[in-house]
Amino acid sequence: MPYPVAHVMFFVFCICAISVYTTLVALLRRDISSREIGHILLLLSIGSFFALYPDIMAAYNIIVNDNLEHCYIGSTPTHSLLFSSSAILFGAIIGYVLYREFGRALYMGLFAFSASLSHLLLDDLEGTGIHYLYPISSREINVFSYIGVGFTRDDIIHSLLAAHAPIIFIAAVMMLALFALNHLGFEFRYRSEK
């Protein structure tokens, strides 16, 4: 399991690189106000919290049980798509409190969900098995172990899909974060040369 700082840095600098880029460009051009900097820091704080969200039980267990067990709430794994999808609800509640607009609150929920998925992605990249499909299946899956899958004559479609699953997962998490950030004020658009 990577350290909490690694989860936050992975989310901020890999998944949300566009927010870092646009903030740095605005700072260099001096086109940004202190209110906008506060908005950016708030977004990155919320994203950082939800990047650590699947490990939320670690704080509880350190205080109450004096151990670092962090992957379960009772018998429910916190490192699953089901638990990570609860970040949509909590992120939307936070977004509604901040913006008082349902649309922006929903995008904040999607942003929180992408942050939570980035946690699963980094743990999976490290080689830890994740209960992605809980409660449908309690089997641990390591998506990144499929990268080295070789071609077989019998099932070439399965081999191709398995080899590309990690790349598709990374791209989906990044696109979800970009989609949410686009509706929360960050733009990265093409300008044609004239």
Side-chain angles (χ1 to χ4, degrees):
M1 173 185 111
Y3 290 112
V5 172
H7 283 292
V8 171
M9 289 177 61
F10 179 72
F11 178 71
V12 170
F13 293 116
C14 294
I15 304 298
C16 291
I18 188 170
S19 63
V20 174
Y21 171 76
T22 56
T23 303
L24 288 176
V25 168
L27 284 171
L28 290 173
R29 291 183 182 169
R30 300 179 194 256
D31 290 341
I32 195 165
S33 69
S34 60
R35 183 171 188 247
E36 291 169 332
I37 290 174
H39 174 71
I40 292 165
L41 291 175
L42 181 66
L43 275 177
L44 290 179
S45 298
I46 290 169
S48 297
F49 172 77
F50 282 103
L52 297 173
Y53 182 62
D55 285 344
I56 196 101
M57 286 309 294
Y60 172 80
N61 282 329
I62 285 173
I63 295 167
V64 175
N65 299 326
D66 199 28
N67 65 32
L68 283 174
E69 182 61 37
H70 68 282
C71 293
Y72 293 93
I73 294 177
S75 63
T76 305
T78 59
H79 288 62
S80 67
L81 293 175
L82 175 70
F83 186 79
S84 290
S85 64
S86 67
I88 296 171
L89 174 67
F90 294 126
I93 291 169
I94 292 169
Y96 191 76
V97 168
L98 292 174
Y99 300 119
R100 300 283 184 211
E101 294 177 27
F102 181 74
R104 290 186 84 181
L106 180 62
Y107 294 121
M108 183 64 82
L110 292 176
F111 182 69
F113 182 53
S114 69
S116 184
L117 287 178
S118 77
H119 183 101
L120 300 182
L121 189 78
L122 191 57
D123 279 0
D124 193 347
L125 185 63
E126 188 219 0
T128 307
I130 307 291
H131 295 280
Y132 284 112
L133 302 176
Y134 179 85
I136 297 168
S137 171
S138 61
R139 193 175 125 214
E140 288 186 356
I141 300 170
N142 186 338
V143 175
F144 284 93
S145 68
Y146 293 120
I147 287 179
V149 170
F151 290 110
T152 61
R153 266 188 195 172
D154 299 338
D155 199 3
I156 195 162
I157 301 290
H158 177 267
S159 299
L160 284 172
L161 289 174
H164 291 90
I167 293 125
I168 292 168
F169 186 36
I170 291 171
V173 171
M174 290 178 79
M175 296 309 280
L176 182 63
L178 285 172
F179 177 73
L181 284 171
N182 185 42
H183 291 283
L184 292 172
F186 291 93
E187 290 184 358
F188 191 74
R189 57 179 127 147
Y190 173 75
R191 291 187 196 105
S192 63
E193 298 291 325
K194 293 195 179 193

